[in-house]
Amino acid sequence: MLKKGSKLNSILTGTCPKCQNESMYQDKNPLHLANVLKMNEHCSHCGLTYQIEPSFFYGAMYVSYGLNVAVGVAAFIISFVILGTTLKTAFISIIVALVLSFPFVLRFARNIYINMFVSYDPNFKNK
Ligand SMILES: [Zn+2]
């Protein structure tokens, strides 16, 4: 499933979408919150510029919105439907889930967004 060359591999690991040889981020750990959005400008293997156009990653906000809705719905279903908590507890669990997942959502949104525009190509070289 996580073979090199699949988009899922790049999305889950945050590697360069073109060559998948190195991380796009300066700090691989999304839990270091100060560095969560610090990205390298280029891939040092293939030379791909991650910021395809100015403010490219603003578009990832829409992906992030979708991911946050998915996290919220999942938290609600788990607490209200499966665990049978009260409505108030269910809404608190949604907020807790969104706060805890936010560094991962931020990165996954960027990873998904850049993978919508860039495909895997092991022979790509940007001069
Ligand atoms: Zn690369």
Side-chain angles (χ1 to χ4, degrees):
M1 186 175 92
L2 281 183
K3 279 192 317 267
K4 198 171 165 188
S6 72
K7 286 196 183 290
L8 199 60
N9 179 45
S10 171
I11 289 169
L12 292 180
T13 59
T15 47
C16 168
K18 207 55 151 173
C19 67
Q20 301 191 356
N21 276 326
E22 68 167 33
S23 174
M24 293 189 286
Y25 300 95
Q26 292 175 6
D27 189 341
K28 276 187 175 179
N29 188 345
L31 294 177
H32 297 157
L33 296 181
N35 301 325
V36 73
L37 290 180
K38 287 194 181 139
M39 301 180 76
N40 298 316
E41 255 180 57
H42 307 276
C43 173
S44 68
H45 285 267
C46 67
L48 175 76
T49 305
Y50 298 133
Q51 187 109 3
I52 296 170
E53 56 191 23
S55 308
F56 172 70
F57 285 108
Y58 276 95
M61 282 192 304
Y62 301 103
V63 180
S64 162
Y65 171 71
L67 290 176
N68 278 316
V69 168
V71 168
V73 168
F76 180 79
I77 289 174
I78 288 170
S79 77
F80 189 71
V81 178
I82 297 176
L83 299 178
T85 61
T86 63
L87 207 51
K88 196 172 157 188
T89 312
F91 280 109
I92 292 170
S93 74
I94 290 174
I95 292 168
V96 170
L98 288 177
V99 168
L100 292 180
S101 67
F102 110 93
F104 302 99
V105 166
L106 278 178
R107 285 217 168 161
F108 282 143
R110 287 191 169 207
N111 298 348
I112 290 170
Y113 193 65
I114 196 169
N115 270 284
M116 287 161 61
F117 296 94
V118 182
S119 298
Y120 179 67
D121 178 3
N123 301 317
F124 175 83
K125 275 273 180 251
N126 196 7
K127 51 256 143 254

